[in-house]
RNA sequence: GCUCCCUUCGUCUAGUGGCCUAGGACGCCGGCCUCUCACGCCGGUAACAGGGGUUCGAGUCCCCUAGGGAGCGCCA
């Protein structure tokens, strides 16, 4: 039997990291077993589904590289099929019309709660004969078995047993005829020949209902794997209020897709002490059975560490490609300055995100607005004038503008002035970078280039002179 | 309230009865390196939720308690 998994988000928001991880697990499982990964959009809630959500979800999947083999299928395009199956169930006596009003149901629930019972429909319309006179439209309810139990042999949670007595006759079609979630899932999983249902464990309680429906449909049962959800840093369930949970937000903040994927796969899953996994390694080593049963908290610090790890160790060309996108976001044209690959090489050990790297590299491509105040007052002082002037002169005559040549000139100037390297490198750094932080000074000069360096040195010298004149 | 799920350092986890005076990773703290910021290297801090069993022996098996989460919709 060929493995077929599906990821079935409802388009009522963006793709959050919990969903992304579920999608990753589904995808890995399919890839590992040479199976098929199906994408299905569960958009039966017309009021809350939006085309925009669908686009961000698709965009997120693409960015992460979780390509699907079939789909996306839209439930809204399968309404006729659902209606047909509902009729079939009705005809076979496996479902029935229910005319209970909202008020009636609310009263029932309130009473059950008051008696400290689990609220559930009591099945009073199961054998209803005459229709109410007001001609109201009924809903359709599924006849859940009254006795016995449902066994779920979950790949992650193990064997879980539910008593049918705990379940009730759930609504499968609304009074407007629209099918409901628990029902469409069953029809789709059946029609799409899904063999493995990998989803969030908030669905574990739905599983026995779905199994009962599937059985009423004479459909083969898929294998289930309920993955625990992701918690926020505070241990609470991750939600829209807990900050950066949107997949695309991670891209915008400068994370690499491979870093997010690596972080996500290690959340609830491990392979010994191994921390770093390429996508190929994930596919090779991942096994749904090794997924933890308990929820895991999202730790932004560790994600940051992984991101930096990939920035540091990936092919600079690859990083440059992503960096280019971030430079563009800052309004910088990466062709108007040094080769981005050189920039990556200079910056990759001092940036945890690409957004940070882009910001810290802007001065290679365009003039900065002004000096960092603290750094300027500390390093651009009158005593720096001599060295800076000497540097200006020496650099102007540099036969070639390379890091090696820069190194030579800066060191020699420091020596002739009897200064430690730091005493000369720092003023120089502030002069060309605008602040006291940058890659090694020789590399920095090489990247800034001759013209910009000399211009900025003049400006710095001018800055010091004007300041001391005022004082 | 009822049903179901979960519980090893702050966090992610290793651990499948003896190899555990509990290992790794992130973070944090200290040191080294050093032209800044970083990187790197070295060292340190820190956990089996509690209580009962079973067993020669329990983080590992069983039971109970506590705590956390989910579900109980004409939402998905």
């Amino acid at each position: 039997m060929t493995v077929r998994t599906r990821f079935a988000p409802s388009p009522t928001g963006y793709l959050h990291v919990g969903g992304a991880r579920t999608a990753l697990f589904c995808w890995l499982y399919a890839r590992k077993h040479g199976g098929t990964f199906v994408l299905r959009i569960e958009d039966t809630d017309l009021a809350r589904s939006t085309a925009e959500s669908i686009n961000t979800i698709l965009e997120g999947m693409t960015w992460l590289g979780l390509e699907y083999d079939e789909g996306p299928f839209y439930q809204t395009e399968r309404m006729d099929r659902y209606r047909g199956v509902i009729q079939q169930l009705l005809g076979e006596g496996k479902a029935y019309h229910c005319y209970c009003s909202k008020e009636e149901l609310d009263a029932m629930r309130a009473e059950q709660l008051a008696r400290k019972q689990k609220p559930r429909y009591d099945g009073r319309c199961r054998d209803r004969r005459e229709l109410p006179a007001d001609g109201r439209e009924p809903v359709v309810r599924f006849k859940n078995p009254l006795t016995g139990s449902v066994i779920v042999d979950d790949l992650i949670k193990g064997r879980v047993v539910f008593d049918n007595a705990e379940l009730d006759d759930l609504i499968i079609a609304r009074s407007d005829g629209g099918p409901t979630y628990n029902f469409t899932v069953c029809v789709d999983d059946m029609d799409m020949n899904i063999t493995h249902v990998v989803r969030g464990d908030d669905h574990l309680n739905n599983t026995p209902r779905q199994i009962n429906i599937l059985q009423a449909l004479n459909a083969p049962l898929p294998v289930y794997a309920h993955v625990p959800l992701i918690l926020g840093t505070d241990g609470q369930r991750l939600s829209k209020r807990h900050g950066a949970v949107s997949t695309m937000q991670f891209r915008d903040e400068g994370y690499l897709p491979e870093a997010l994927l690596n972080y996500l796969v290690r959340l609830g899953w491990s392979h010994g002490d191994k921390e770093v996994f390429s996508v190929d390694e994930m596919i090779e080593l991942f096994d749904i059975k090794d997924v933890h049963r308990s929820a895991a908290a999202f730790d932004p610090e560790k994600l940051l560490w992984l991101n930096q790890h990939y920035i540091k160790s990936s092919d600079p060309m690859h990083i440059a490609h992503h960096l280019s996108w971030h430079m563009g976001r800052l309004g910088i044209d990466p062709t108007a300055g040094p080769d981005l690959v050189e920039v990556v090489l200079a910056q990759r050990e001092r940036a945890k995100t690409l957004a940070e790297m882009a910001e810290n590299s802007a001065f290679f491509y365009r003039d900065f607005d002004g000096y960092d105040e603290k750094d300027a007052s500390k390093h651009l002082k009158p005593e720096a004038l001599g060295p800076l002037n000497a540097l200006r002169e020496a650099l102007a005559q540099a036969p070639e503008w390379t890091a090696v040549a820069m190194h030579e000139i800066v060191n020699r100037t420091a020596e002739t002035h009897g200064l430690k390297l730091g005493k000369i490198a720092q003023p120089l750094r502030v002069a060309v970078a605008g602040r006291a932080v940058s890659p090694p000074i020789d590399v920095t000069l090489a990247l800034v280039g001759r013209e910009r360096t000399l211009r900025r040195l003049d400006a710095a010298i001018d800055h010091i002179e004007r300041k001391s004149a005022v004082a």
Side-chain angles (χ1 to χ4, degrees):
Chain A
M1 180 178 61
T2 320
V3 166
R4 291 173 62 85
T5 64
R6 54 30 165 218
F7 177 56
S10 64
T12 55
Y14 47 71
L15 178 65
H16 58 90
V17 288
R21 186 181 61 149
T22 303
L24 172 61
F25 286 176
C26 284
W27 181 82
L28 285 174
Y29 195 79
R31 286 290 168 277
K32 166 135 191 144
H33 296 280
T36 305
F37 178 55
V38 179
L39 179 63
R40 181 169 80 218
I41 306 294
E42 310 215 323
D43 54 354
T44 52
D45 185 349
L46 273 12
R48 294 198 299 155
S49 299
T50 66
E52 196 192 338
S53 284
I54 293 173
N55 286 337
T56 44
I57 290 169
L58 259 29
E59 191 184 17
M61 303 273 294
T62 303
W63 182 67
L64 288 172
L66 304 178
E67 73 279 8
Y68 36 88
D69 306 302
E70 288 180 21
F73 297 114
Y74 296 89
Q75 293 190 320
T76 44
E77 290 173 6
R78 292 172 43 76
M79 288 304 181
D80 289 346
R81 169 62 177 153
Y82 304 134
R83 262 184 267 279
V85 179
I86 286 165
Q87 285 311 314
Q88 176 196 327
L89 252 21
L90 243 16
E92 292 172 351
K94 292 173 177 170
Y96 61 94
H97 290 292
C98 167
Y99 290 87
C100 293
S101 67
K102 202 144 191 112
E103 295 70 36
E104 211 172 330
L105 295 174
D106 286 345
M108 191 190 301
R109 266 193 282 273
E111 192 197 324
Q112 287 164 333
L113 244 18
R115 270 186 287 148
K116 302 195 170 189
Q117 288 177 346
K118 184 181 192 169
R120 51 201 197 281
Y121 183 66
D122 64 6
R124 61 180 63 167
C125 284
R126 267 198 178 207
D127 305 306
R128 191 164 197 147
R129 302 284 265 290
E130 64 246 37
L131 312 182
D134 59 10
R136 60 178 178 239
E137 290 301 320
V139 299
V140 177
R141 286 186 186 271
F142 172 70
K143 263 191 199 169
N144 197 78
L146 268 11
T147 57
S149 55
V150 180
I151 295 168
V152 183
D153 278 312
D154 193 277
L155 252 24
I156 294 170
K157 302 286 184 180
R159 171 166 291 205
V160 185
V161 181
F162 296 88
D163 249 326
N164 273 322
E166 290 295 333
L167 274 23
D168 66 356
D169 293 346
L170 76 160
I171 292 173
I172 57 175
R174 298 185 258 259
S175 46
D176 66 2
T180 59
Y181 168 73
N182 278 112
F183 175 72
T184 55
V185 166
C186 294
V187 176
D188 288 345
D189 286 343
M190 171 177 74
D191 287 352
M192 295 170 193
N193 297 310
I194 301 303
T195 59
H196 297 261
V197 171
V198 180
R199 60 185 6 171
D201 74 359
D202 46 338
H203 289 288
L204 184 56
N205 285 297
N206 286 327
T207 307
R209 299 172 179 286
Q210 294 176 10
I211 287 178
N212 282 331
I213 293 175
L214 251 9
Q215 276 171 337
L217 259 20
N218 295 317
L221 295 181
V223 175
Y224 292 92
H226 286 95
V227 328
L229 29 71
I230 298 179
L231 271 22
T233 322
D234 52 3
Q236 293 300 109
R237 185 179 182 176
L238 202 59
S239 77
K240 275 138 201 166
R241 286 207 303 243
H242 275 86
V245 292
S246 152
T247 305
M248 296 322 285
Q249 196 175 327
F250 287 103
R251 175 197 62 183
D252 295 350
E253 290 176 359
Y255 291 87
L256 290 160
E258 54 267 42
L260 221 211
L261 249 19
N262 194 149
Y263 179 72
L264 255 19
V265 83
R266 276 287 286 106
L267 217 48
W269 175 79
S270 61
H271 184 77
D273 286 337
K274 193 169 166 61
E275 294 285 351
V276 178
F277 296 85
S278 68
V279 170
D280 284 344
E281 287 173 323
M282 288 181 204
I283 292 171
E284 188 194 333
L285 302 172
F286 181 79
D287 192 332
I288 198 86
K289 292 185 191 71
D290 297 331
V291 173
H292 247 237
R293 306 149 92 99
S294 56
F298 191 91
D299 181 6
E301 292 296 333
K302 190 157 185 181
L303 204 213
L304 220 36
W305 170 76
L306 265 172
N307 200 50
Q308 184 173 35
H309 169 82
Y310 280 100
I311 287 176
K312 271 185 318 204
S313 57
S314 301
D315 178 0
M317 295 264 286
H318 172 70
I319 302 301
H321 170 74
H322 283 279
L323 178 62
S324 174
W325 186 83
H326 286 275
M327 294 302 262
R329 285 193 107 212
L330 294 179
I332 291 168
D333 175 4
T335 61
D339 183 354
L340 266 185
V341 172
E342 296 301 320
V343 172
V344 168
L345 257 11
Q347 296 281 39
R348 63 178 180 176
E349 285 173 354
R350 60 203 92 235
K352 287 181 190 291
T353 71
L354 294 173
E356 183 190 348
M357 188 187 283
E359 280 166 32
N360 291 343
S361 302
F363 76 97
F364 295 135
Y365 297 88
R366 68 177 178 208
D367 289 338
F368 44 86
D369 285 336
Y371 300 113
D372 176 279
E373 231 172 272
K374 276 209 180 83
D375 292 342
S377 64
K378 183 173 180 188
H379 298 292
L380 295 184
K381 292 190 292 199
E383 51 264 46
L385 267 179
L388 247 24
N389 272 309
L391 231 19
R392 206 281 177 208
E393 202 170 316
L395 287 169
Q397 288 163 19
E400 51 165 16
W401 203 266
T402 61
V404 175
M406 299 297 107
H407 187 82
E408 169 67 26
I409 291 172
V410 174
N411 275 295
R412 189 162 11 94
T413 310
E415 251 172 64
T416 41
H417 281 76
L419 294 171
K420 288 182 68 177
L421 192 52
K423 286 289 173 191
I424 197 165
Q426 283 307 80
L428 179 55
R429 177 172 275 117
V430 176
V432 299
R435 59 190 193 120
V437 174
S438 87
I441 194 64
D442 48 357
V443 175
T444 299
L445 293 178
L447 288 171
V448 171
R450 180 193 296 266
E451 194 226 345
R452 281 193 175 100
T453 297
L454 296 180
R455 183 155 30 88
R456 289 177 191 176
L457 263 174
D458 289 339
I461 289 164
D462 187 53
H463 172 88
I464 298 173
E465 285 173 342
R466 267 188 294 120
K467 277 226 128 172
S468 52
V470 172

